[in-house]
């Protein structure tokens, strides 16, 4: 039977002698070996044996289980935990509805390359395929949204599956692996072993880069007059932000980031142009369209960054540094591809790069930048509460406290304002659902991040629409005594959808006005102190109060309703055909549209 | 253009579903797909034909390689290979037509694998074109029932033995017009 590890503080621990135990016990043994400390989940009939086997580990403080109020949030919490720590996040659910509820969270994590293992219970093997109570084909359902998945029908296979699953989830381009375990397998007894190495002949997580390709890339960069780096999530996954800054400074190359690449390079760096793409700054997008060599680092040319593909960076030679071979040539065909781990390719590239200066190019960009800044809303006195102001004040307030925050955003207008007006200085400062764009992500993911770092300042920023998708987790937040701060950018609309309706559907606001409860009272019902903010001058004191309060805090920012995110590249347009921020002088007559920042 | 690809995969439950699911969700156009055992126990071999341009074929190969259970994928379109399909065709016969059908079968090196008073089952093996043309011809006599495999392929001679090398990572774009 299972014996307690000799030194529970010293995890992950080496594999010990193979020994007999139940399938349910194997699940936790494997997790101890993998160094898992927190599991987010919701129990149910088909996963009960596994929950029962957690008891001794939970009592001994080895593994903590967080009970969620909806399984989707178990996946989002594991996602937030994994993004914050870089370790594999683990979530758990029962069969049928429990497992299907996980799906959105799995898809969110998979799209953004988040390492995660999901464990679901399944009906006993003799009932498989009979439409048994709470049976669903979880492996079938989750196949398109996972890196790999397993249905375990034999307890002898389970240790191998568990080890493979964690290995696949965290290696190469990280992703989600789901293990569906039949209930009788959880109860059956077998030999548990972990003293083997994973054998996956077709799995090549870390392809070797080609030195010829690297040289070809270096030659292009060294000859470039107007080079530009487009940096993505891969830079953070590989942990090479410092190397990126070295490269940028050595050859004076400006950097545009993707949404998930925000923080790859400090946004205070003079060569950082911030985010590009659909809501990127005009100068960042113009730089993309005007560069002669585009160096894409760990990014996948999502349509939100490229806009219209056939007019994307047409004059540029494109170099694609990427770990996942399948991303090379998928959307954009590069001139040179360096397939490999950025942690290897970037350090190897540095000595091949000559020290260069590009004064003309940099000056040109800076002129565009000045032009943009002149029209920025924050440079004008506005008497109303507008979202960009709230976000910028949040940054000031965090900065003032000298804290290294984790900001978790939901999806929509506030997400874009956050990326534009919060000044990210470190990788990992912003966690957001970029690929799938999952509303309701922020609160649970922030809780997952806070579970990993209980003392850090974690802000969940959401809209009034997204917040109401997962607000039931406020109870989980209190049960776990987490100190997440929540800011709701409340404009009474599903703001981003409303913006599209305003711009592309003649202002017919179908299905976008949102009625919300009194969020302050709601928070109070959960025992969370809260404030409502309606005027610009109330923002700073409210933020201060949130920061000075121990434990969670919620602020309902009742912002001006019809404010738009600019600049904006219309869907299907090229990234330089953007709708600029309306200039204050012409705001009234702007396209016949109401004043809208 | 049609590309002939060969993939080897771990013989796990659901592996065919993984492959076909990936091909469907990524919107690839597959003409035929044939799975069977390979010479290695535990490894299945799949031959499939993709309709598309070079970029599509490149993507199919890369996306296939990304599947954990797929151990190897190879594009044999431009390599010397034996490509075969098999068809079993039940043709209506009368005393007057039987001899003629047998003659045609002979020309196609087809075999008669079943005989009844009013029908014959013809087995044709060959390239897609050959099978097509045999079917077209037999249609004149009335095809009662037919079954046909997808393409299977094996490289010729020594080419089939050493193919472990992966393509180099320098991937110059032909799509931009730069060879």
């Amino acid at each position: 039977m299972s014996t307690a590890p000799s030194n529970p503080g010293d995890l992950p621990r080496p594999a010990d002698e193979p020994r007999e135990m139940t399938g349910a016990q194997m699940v936790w043994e494997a997790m101890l070996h993998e160094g898992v400390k927190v599991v987010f989940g919701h129990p149910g009939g088909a996963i009960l044996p596994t929950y029962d086997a957690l008891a001794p580990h939970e009592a001994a403080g080895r593994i903590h289980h967080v009970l969620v109020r909806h399984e989707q949030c178990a996946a989002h919490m594991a996602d937030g935990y994994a993004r914050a720590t870089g370790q594999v996040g683990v979530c758990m659910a029962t069969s049928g509805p429990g497992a299907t509820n996980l799906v959105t969270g799995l898809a969110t994590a998979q799209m953004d390359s988040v390492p995660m293992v999901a464990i679901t219970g399944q009906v006993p093997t003799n009932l498989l395929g009979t439409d048994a109570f709470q049976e669903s084909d979880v492996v079938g359902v989750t196949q398109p949204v996972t890196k790999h998945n397993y249905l375990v029908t034999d307890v002898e296979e389970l240790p191998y599956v568990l080890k493979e699953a964690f290995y696949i989830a965290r290696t190469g381009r990280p992703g989600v692996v789901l293990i569906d375990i039949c209930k009788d397998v959880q109860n059956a007894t077998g030999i548990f072993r972990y003293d083997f190495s994973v054998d996956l002949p077709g799995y090549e997580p870390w392809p070797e880069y080609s030195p010829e390709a690297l040289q070809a890339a270096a030659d292009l960069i060294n000859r470039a007059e107007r080079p530009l780096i487009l940096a993505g999530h891969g830079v953070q996954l590989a942990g090479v932000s410092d190397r990126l800054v070295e490269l940028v400074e050595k050859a004076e190359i400006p950097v545009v980031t993707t949404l998930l690449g925000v923080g790859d390079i400090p946004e205070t760096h003079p060569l950082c142009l911030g985010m590009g793409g659909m809501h990127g700054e005009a100068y960042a997008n113009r730089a993309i369209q005007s560069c002669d060599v585009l160096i894409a680092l760990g990014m996948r040319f999502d349509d939100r960054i490229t806009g219209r593909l056939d007019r994307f960076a047409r004059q540029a030679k494109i170099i694609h540094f990427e770990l996942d071979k399948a991303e090379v040539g998928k959307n954009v065909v590069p001139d040179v591809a360096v397939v490999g781990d950025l942690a290897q390719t970037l350090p190897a590239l540095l000595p091949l790069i000559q020290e260069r200066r590009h004064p003309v190019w940099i000056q040109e960009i800076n002129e565009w930048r000045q032009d943009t800044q002149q029209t920025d809303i924050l440079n004008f006195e506005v008497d109303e509460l507008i979202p960009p102001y709230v976000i910028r004040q949040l940054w000031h307030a965090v900065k003032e406290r000298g804290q290294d925050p984790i900001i978790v955003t939901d999806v929509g207008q506030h997400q874009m304002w956050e990326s534009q007006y919060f000044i990210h200085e470190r990788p990992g400062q912003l966690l957001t659902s970029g690929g799938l764009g999952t509303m309701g992500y922020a609160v649970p993911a922030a809780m997952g991040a806070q579970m990993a770092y209980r003392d850090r300042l974690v802000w969940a920023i959401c809209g009034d629409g997204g917040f109401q998708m997962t607000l039931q987790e406020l109870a989980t937040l209190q049960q776990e005594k987490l100190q997440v701060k929540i800011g709701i950018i409340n404009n009474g609309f599903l703001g981003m959808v409303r913006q599209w309706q305003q711009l592309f559907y003649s202002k017919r606001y179908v299905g976008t006005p949102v009625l919300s409860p009194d969020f302050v009272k709601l928070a109070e019902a959960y025992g969370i102190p809260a404030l409502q903010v309606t005027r610009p001058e109330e923002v700073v004191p409210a933020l201060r109060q949130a920061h000075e309060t121990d434990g969670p805090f919620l602020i309902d920012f009742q912002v001006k309703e019809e404010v738009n995110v600019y600049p904006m590249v219309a869907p299907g347009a090229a990234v330089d055909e953007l709708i600029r921020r309306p200039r204050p002088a012409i705001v009234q007559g702007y396209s016949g549209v109401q004043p809208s920042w | 253009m049609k590309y002939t690809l060969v993939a080897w995969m771990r013989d796990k439950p659901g592996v065919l579903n993984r492959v076909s699911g990936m091909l469907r969700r990524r919107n690839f156009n597959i003409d035929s797909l044939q799975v069977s055992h390979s010479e290695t126990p535990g490894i299945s071999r799949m031959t499939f034909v993709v309709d598309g341009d070079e970029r599509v074929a490149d993507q199919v190969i890369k996306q296939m390689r990304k599947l954990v259970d797929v151990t190897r994928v190879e594009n044999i379109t431009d390599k010397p290979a034996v490509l075969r399909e098999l068809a079993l065709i039940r043709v209506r016969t009368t005393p007057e037509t039987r001899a003629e059908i047998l003659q045609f079968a002979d020309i196609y090196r087809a075999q008669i694998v079943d005989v009844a008073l009013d029908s014959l089952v013809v087995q044709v093996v060959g390239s897609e074109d050959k099978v097509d043309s045999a079917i077209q011809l037999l249609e004149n006599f009335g095809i009662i029932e037919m079954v046909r495999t997808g393409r299977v392929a094996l490289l010729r001679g020594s080419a089939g033995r050493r193919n472990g090398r992966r393509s180099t990572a320098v991937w110059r774009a032909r799509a931009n017009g730069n060879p």
Side-chain angles (χ1 to χ4, degrees):
Chain A
M1 291 303 289
S2 151
T3 50
S6 52
N7 182 3
D10 194 20
L11 298 172
R13 63 200 172 92
D16 22 41
E17 289 294 297
R19 58 190 197 280
E20 203 167 72
M21 63 177 77
T22 66
Q25 288 169 325
M26 290 180 186
V27 171
W28 302 110
E29 280 301 312
M31 286 199 207
L32 290 175
H33 285 297
E34 297 290 345
V36 174
K37 294 183 180 68
V38 189
V39 172
F40 305 91
H42 197 289
I47 192 74
L48 261 178
T50 298
Y51 267 81
D52 186 51
L54 170 63
H57 300 299
E58 200 163 42
R62 290 188 286 265
I63 296 178
H64 176 63
H65 176 264
V66 175
L67 172 70
V68 296
R69 300 299 183 272
H70 186 291
E71 290 87 348
Q72 178 190 342
C73 296
H76 287 330
M77 285 181 204
D79 175 320
Y81 184 92
R83 289 193 210 219
T85 60
Q87 291 161 12
V88 179
V90 180
C91 57
M92 191 171 273
T94 190
S95 64
T100 53
N101 273 349
L102 277 181
V103 172
T104 302
L106 304 182
T108 304
Q110 175 66 13
M111 278 284 259
D112 288 348
S113 309
V114 176
M116 188 189 293
V117 168
I119 293 175
T120 50
Q122 181 56 278
V123 300
T125 43
N126 64 323
L127 291 181
L128 274 178
T130 63
D131 301 319
F133 176 65
Q134 290 196 331
E135 182 188 2
S136 70
D137 172 18
V138 177
V139 164
V141 167
T142 60
Q143 212 163 71
V145 297
T146 53
K147 188 171 174 185
H148 197 55
N149 61 16
Y150 299 89
L151 169 65
V152 186
T153 54
D154 178 358
V155 71
E156 299 295 343
E157 274 180 22
L158 190 54
Y160 299 92
V161 166
L162 287 161
K163 193 163 186 179
E164 262 183 38
F166 277 92
Y167 176 76
I168 292 169
R170 68 166 180 264
T171 50
R173 181 176 177 183
V176 179
V177 182
L178 178 137
I179 312 174
D180 197 26
I181 312 173
C182 288
K183 189 174 183 180
D184 54 330
V185 173
Q186 298 169 42
N187 284 323
T189 302
I191 301 292
F192 177 79
R193 58 188 315 153
Y194 226 63
D195 56 348
F196 55 92
S197 48
V198 171
D199 176 32
L200 291 165
Y203 180 60
E204 196 187 5
W206 312 110
E208 290 276 318
Y209 71 87
S210 137
E212 296 86 19
L214 198 70
Q215 188 61 55
D219 291 346
L220 271 179
I221 297 170
N222 287 334
R223 283 201 305 269
E225 292 303 323
R226 305 157 72 86
L228 182 74
I229 289 173
L230 196 46
H233 194 194
V235 172
Q236 299 185 24
L237 290 174
V240 289
S241 285
D242 295 347
R243 291 312 175 95
L244 171 61
V245 174
E246 263 180 71
L247 171 68
V248 160
E249 290 176 352
K250 188 172 184 185
E252 202 181 27
I253 309 175
V255 183
V256 172
T257 68
T258 65
L259 176 59
L260 292 189
V262 159
D264 280 357
I265 175 170
E267 289 181 330
T268 46
H269 196 287
L271 287 170
C272 179
L273 310 184
M275 186 178 74
M278 184 172 268
H279 293 294
E281 294 297 345
Y283 52 89
N285 285 335
R286 272 178 88 165
I288 291 174
Q289 297 297 65
S290 317
C291 64
D292 62 356
V293 172
L294 184 68
I295 307 141
L297 298 179
M299 53 83 67
R300 60 186 175 87
F301 295 104
D302 182 84
D303 56 87
R304 276 340 191 224
I305 197 88
T306 62
R308 194 173 144 177
L309 260 181
D310 60 352
R311 292 180 52 191
F312 174 76
R314 261 188 307 186
Q315 73 307 316
K317 293 275 181 205
I318 294 176
I319 307 170
H320 196 178
F321 284 79
E322 173 59 49
L323 180 60
D324 181 353
K325 279 182 195 170
E327 292 300 347
V328 176
K330 187 182 83 179
N331 296 335
V332 165
V333 180
D335 295 277
V336 176
V338 184
V339 175
D341 183 6
L342 275 178
Q344 292 182 346
T345 54
L346 211 48
L349 175 72
L350 273 165
L352 306 179
I353 298 298
Q354 294 160 7
E355 285 203 26
R356 284 284 305 272
R357 291 294 168 264
H358 305 282
V360 180
W361 171 228
I362 300 298
Q363 200 199 331
E364 197 173 347
I365 291 174
N366 283 338
E367 278 166 17
W368 299 337
R369 197 196 308 233
Q370 271 171 14
D371 179 54
T372 290
Q373 280 166 349
Q374 278 166 10
T375 62
D376 197 304
I377 178 81
L378 289 185
N379 296 329
F380 300 93
E381 264 186 39
V382 180
D383 191 35
E384 293 160 303
L385 186 61
I386 54 161
Y389 176 78
V390 174
I391 302 290
R392 183 55 62 82
Q393 289 310 319
L394 172 65
W395 176 74
H396 282 301
V398 169
K399 190 87 176 150
E400 188 183 281
R401 292 183 70 81
Q403 277 171 317
D404 180 15
I406 297 175
I407 310 291
V408 188
T409 55
D410 221 75
V411 170
Q413 286 186 315
H414 71 277
Q415 180 191 30
M416 294 297 105
W417 282 315
E418 194 284 341
S419 63
Q420 292 174 339
Y421 290 98
F422 198 93
I423 300 172
H424 309 86
E425 297 181 63
R426 259 191 345 93
Q429 237 173 19
L430 169 63
L431 314 182
T432 194
S433 166
L436 197 69
T438 307
M439 283 173 71
Y441 171 82
V443 169
M447 289 165 59
Q450 189 86 75
M451 280 304 295
Y453 302 109
R454 283 195 165 260
D455 297 330
R456 276 179 69 177
L457 176 62
V458 180
W459 268 96
I461 306 294
C462 13
D464 42 336
F467 176 71
Q468 292 186 71
M469 281 196 176
T470 50
L471 66 80
Q472 77 282 355
E473 298 305 323
L474 293 181
T476 311
L477 192 142
Q478 284 295 62
Q479 188 167 349
E480 295 298 327
K481 301 188 171 60
L482 293 169
Q483 53 154 340
V484 174
K485 315 291 181 191
I486 300 168
I488 304 173
I489 306 295
N490 182 352
N491 57 10
F493 279 103
L494 301 174
M496 188 59 93
V497 186
R498 185 207 53 75
Q499 174 170 343
W500 284 45
Q501 288 174 333
Q502 178 187 329
L503 296 173
F504 312 121
Y505 295 91
S506 313
K507 238 182 152 183
R508 285 185 296 277
Y509 294 161
V510 181
T512 42
V514 180
L515 175 94
S516 293
D518 181 333
F519 287 130
V520 174
K521 278 188 183 159
L522 180 86
E524 277 166 6
Y526 284 101
I528 297 171
L531 271 181
Q532 191 181 70
V533 169
T534 53
R535 301 281 315 149
E537 60 273 17
E538 295 164 4
V539 171
V540 174
L543 289 169
R544 194 163 292 147
Q545 194 177 334
H547 284 153
E548 282 166 3
T549 305
D550 269 342
F553 201 89
L554 183 146
I555 307 178
D556 174 14
F557 293 102
Q558 301 226 330
V559 297
K560 184 169 154 57
E561 286 180 346
E562 296 181 50
V563 182
N564 287 348
V565 181
Y566 291 118
M568 178 179 190
V569 178
V575 286
D576 51 354
E577 297 172 330
L578 40 73
I579 309 169
R580 302 282 303 264
R581 286 194 182 83
R583 286 169 189 270
I586 56 162
V587 151
Q588 300 298 335
Y590 178 71
S591 318
V593 170
Q594 283 296 307
S596 43
W597 297 97
Chain B
M1 163 152 181
K2 311 232 175 196
Y3 291 84
T4 306
L5 310 179
V6 180
W8 289 260
M9 54 205 65
R10 295 202 292 178
D11 184 14
K12 297 263 177 181
V15 67
L16 180 58
N17 193 287
R18 284 179 205 282
V19 172
S20 60
M22 183 280 290
L23 295 170
R24 173 195 56 75
R25 81 172 174 273
R26 294 205 181 264
N27 207 16
F28 295 130
N29 209 343
I30 300 300
D31 270 18
S32 82
L33 194 154
Q34 194 70 37
V35 202
S36 68
H37 297 298
S38 72
E39 71 285 358
T40 315
I43 298 287
S44 299
R45 179 178 176 127
M46 181 183 283
T47 310
F48 58 111
V49 180
V50 179
D51 193 8
D53 59 17
E54 197 186 341
R55 262 184 86 180
V56 170
D58 178 69
Q59 262 298 300
V60 172
I61 292 168
K62 286 170 169 170
Q63 296 293 350
M64 288 281 290
R65 283 186 179 146
K66 235 172 116 165
L67 298 175
V68 171
D69 284 335
V70 173
T71 57
R72 204 170 112 203
V73 186
E74 223 182 306
N75 181 355
I76 63 162
T77 312
D78 297 330
K79 295 181 182 167
V82 185
L83 308 175
R84 289 292 179 270
E85 286 185 18
L86 178 146
L88 296 174
I89 308 150
R90 188 188 304 281
V91 193
R92 184 169 290 117
T93 56
T94 61
E96 294 78 44
T97 60
R98 189 175 291 119
E100 199 179 352
I101 292 168
L102 288 174
Q103 269 181 3
F104 281 131
D106 201 36
I107 293 168
Y108 280 95
R109 295 172 197 266
Q111 286 179 292
I112 308 301
V113 291
D114 184 52
V115 187
L117 271 181
D118 55 354
S119 71
L120 281 175
V121 175
V122 182
Q123 170 189 300
V124 192
V125 179
S127 66
E128 196 178 347
D129 286 350
K130 177 178 161 183
V131 175
D132 279 348
S133 103
I135 290 168
Q136 217 174 8
L137 198 71
L138 294 173
E139 265 171 1
N140 296 314
F141 303 96
I143 293 177
I144 300 167
E145 192 183 12
M146 184 184 95
V147 62
R148 183 173 177 175
T149 69
R151 184 184 295 180
V152 292
L154 209 62
L155 289 178
R156 289 182 187 274
S158 55
R161 271 293 156 203
R162 15 173 206 97
N163 37 31
R165 277 183 64 96
R166 294 269 164 85
S167 58
T168 63
V170 188
W171 201 71
R172 303 244 169 216
R174 276 187 213 165
N176 283 349
N178 312 322

